[in-house]
Amino acid sequence: MKTIRTWRGVRMRRAEAGVDPDAPARRVFLPASWDDAAASALAALAPGAGAARVDAAAHGWIRPVTDRAARAGIDLELEEWLHLLLLARRGAPGEAVWHGREEDVPRFVLNLAAFHDPALGFDVDGFGQAVETAVVALTLAVPSARRLAVGMADLSGLLAALGLEYDSVAARDVAACLAALLRARADGASAMLAGLFGAVAPAQGWPAPAAACAIPGLAEAAAQRPPSGGLRHEATTAITAPGAPEALLGVETGGIAPAFSPLAAEGGLTRTARAMLAARGLTGEAALAAVLSGSRILEPAGATAAAAMHDAVAPFLHAMPARPTAQAQAPYREDLPARRAGYTQKASVGGHKLYLRTGEYADGRLGEIFIALQKEGPAFRGLMDSFALAVSLGLQRGVSLEEFVEAFTFTRFGPSGAVEGDPAVPHATSLLDYVFRHLASNYLGRHDIPPAEVEEADTVGSGARDHAPLLPFDLPLDTQGSASPRARRRGLRLVTK
């Protein structure tokens, strides 16, 4: 298989990859530094079912483009530029172009992170040239298309390399300038093509981006105004859903979305996370130490930040995905200190021993509980362990102890009865009733919870306190003579034959 000139000297590796884990494996050849996700993407993009090389597969769609360019008199080094874009993992067309299929809106994605060099910064001129190259390539690949979707991806990776927080004004200014430059160069290329193939739509303006941003020279380049005259396309730019081309380019986050996790699929840190740590001057060890000490670094941006970024970019582009909506965020878990205070309480409820152990925050708030039983079987002990863990997670995520006390005092199931070993709680209607009476007394200072009634006091006709039969939907009376659902709960029992 002949090697394309641009790819000569590139060390290749062989991989067996499929479109997905259930698809038949296919032998592919790609640069040795590209990961397995890129191998699977190449298996999906390369036409046919046999062995495929990335350079030959790219040549399959690039050659028709350059032939049409030559016939149209377009004097551009398209073949070399397009191969270099792919080799540098800066840009690639959508799946339909690779397979030679025409579609209404062909797409081309540019990997923003690949245009950044730690020593040289962001290649503004290279990005602008890549946009123009993409517009020309798509136009020649699908001459009938009236709308193009040239877009950008991995904004999060670029912002991390620049040391910018995704949810910041500086980051949104960079994104807006990139979008403005993308639109200016794309429409400029479309205007040039309109001179060759005819115009189908008038040029339209867009707002001015920020006058300055964190990338030197970007704001000045993005200040270009709309081309005069008509355009070859009704639309040229779009942010699209990620697919195989993004995986081939090594894109970690599609479009302008935030990075949702600092962890890669194989368990290590993502390139974006490593770039952010490097920008902050933190080593992996220092980052781990910061996390263990309670610092919140590499915190993922939420839907609100994504919506703000969407609003910053949308005025410049022809098509965008739906605006993210802020969802109810899961409460933040407040971790307990590594060494924490607490105590262990031993008690007996109805002759059944239990051990209640607590863990506290530095300010004395309850943060976790453990309940160990002695006589009960493994199933009951397992349920109680899981219950204690659920309560602990609730406490650490902001659920107040008062809510747990209200929910679980007066619960009635065996074992129950007299309590030994804890003078603060003389009787309990269940193990849970005892646990939360005890916690209410020790952590809330609550001594106003009515005492647990012994079984005989809840039995009609016992002599201690008779209860008149209740009609449907009636509530029993509490000790003050008021109807109370809590009183009914204390009196309910499950009876079986």
Side-chain angles (χ1 to χ4, degrees), residues 385-431:
D385 288 343
S386 300
F387 173 81
L389 176 60
V391 171
S392 300
L393 290 174
L395 291 169
Q396 293 164 27
R397 293 183 183 273
V399 180
S400 65
L401 177 58
E402 288 89 341
E403 292 184 69
F404 285 118
V405 169
E406 177 66 23
F408 295 111
T409 52
F410 296 106
T411 52
R412 183 181 296 279
F413 57 85
S416 62
V419 176
E420 299 177 5
D422 188 352
V425 185
H427 292 87
T429 57
S430 68
L431 296 178

Side-chain angles (χ1 to χ4, degrees), residues 152-496:
M152 53 190 184
D154 213 354
L155 174 65
S156 289
L158 173 62
L159 295 176
L162 296 172
L164 299 177
E165 293 287 347
Y166 182 91
D167 188 16
S168 67
V169 174
R172 290 190 285 272
D173 286 346
V174 166
C177 286
L178 287 169
L181 178 58
L182 174 65
R183 174 69 177 275
R185 299 298 285 266
D187 278 9
S190 182
M192 181 272 292
L193 292 167
L196 296 173
F197 304 113
V200 300
Q204 297 180 348
W206 54 84
C213 70
I215 297 178
L218 176 58
E220 292 79 5
Q224 300 178 52
R225 301 319 304 149
S228 59
L231 304 182
R232 178 60 187 168
H233 309 93
E234 298 171 1
T236 58
T237 57
I239 299 296
T240 55
E246 281 82 358
L248 188 68
L249 298 176
V251 169
E252 288 187 339
T253 55
I256 60 171
F260 293 104
S261 172
L263 297 179
E266 64 273 11
L269 290 176
T270 62
R271 170 179 42 79
T272 300
R274 296 195 303 271
M276 181 58 77
L277 292 179
R280 295 179 180 180
L282 291 175
T283 63
E285 182 180 0
L288 177 60
V291 171
L292 292 177
S293 67
S295 298
R296 299 173 63 181
I297 62 175
L298 300 177
E299 190 74 13
T304 302
M309 186 63 74
H310 181 283
D311 295 342
V313 170
F316 304 98
L317 304 183
H318 289 101
M320 293 281 291
R323 185 179 188 272
T325 56
Q327 303 290 331
Q329 299 294 313
Y332 173 67
R333 181 178 178 181
E334 184 181 1
D335 293 328
L336 286 157
R339 175 174 289 184
R340 45 191 174 269
Y343 61 85
T344 299
Q345 173 69 47
K346 175 184 177 182
S348 173
V349 179
H352 292 251
K353 292 181 181 179
L354 67 80
Y355 294 86
L356 171 63
R357 183 160 62 87
T358 67
E360 302 172 357
Y361 289 103
D363 59 4
R365 288 178 296 122
L366 180 65
E368 66 181 358
I369 64 170
F370 298 92
I371 304 172
L373 304 177
Q374 208 172 47
K375 290 185 178 180
E376 277 59 41
F380 192 84
R381 291 200 303 270
L383 288 173
M384 192 63 78
D385 288 343
S386 300
F387 173 81
L389 176 60
V391 171
S392 300
L393 290 174
L395 291 169
Q396 293 164 27
R397 293 183 183 273
V399 180
S400 65
L401 177 58
E402 288 89 341
E403 292 184 69
F404 285 118
V405 169
E406 177 66 23
F408 295 111
T409 52
F410 296 106
T411 52
R412 183 181 296 279
F413 57 85
S416 62
V419 176
E420 299 177 5
D422 188 352
V425 185
H427 292 87
T429 57
S430 68
L431 296 178
L432 296 186
D433 178 55
Y434 164 72
V435 166
F436 288 97
R437 284 176 180 273
H438 171 87
L439 295 175
S441 174
N442 284 269
Y443 283 96
L444 302 178
R446 292 208 34 199
H447 305 286
D448 59 334
I449 301 176
E453 300 174 357
V454 297
E455 183 67 22
E456 291 75 18
D458 284 332
T459 303
V460 175
S462 64
R465 188 178 73 203
D466 289 343
H467 296 272
L470 297 177
L471 295 175
F473 306 110
D474 279 352
L475 296 178
L477 302 180
D478 59 18
T479 55
Q480 284 75 37
S482 301
S484 169
R486 197 171 180 84
R488 176 175 62 181
R489 183 171 64 182
R490 291 198 300 268
L492 287 177
R493 292 182 301 281
L494 200 60
V495 179
T496 185

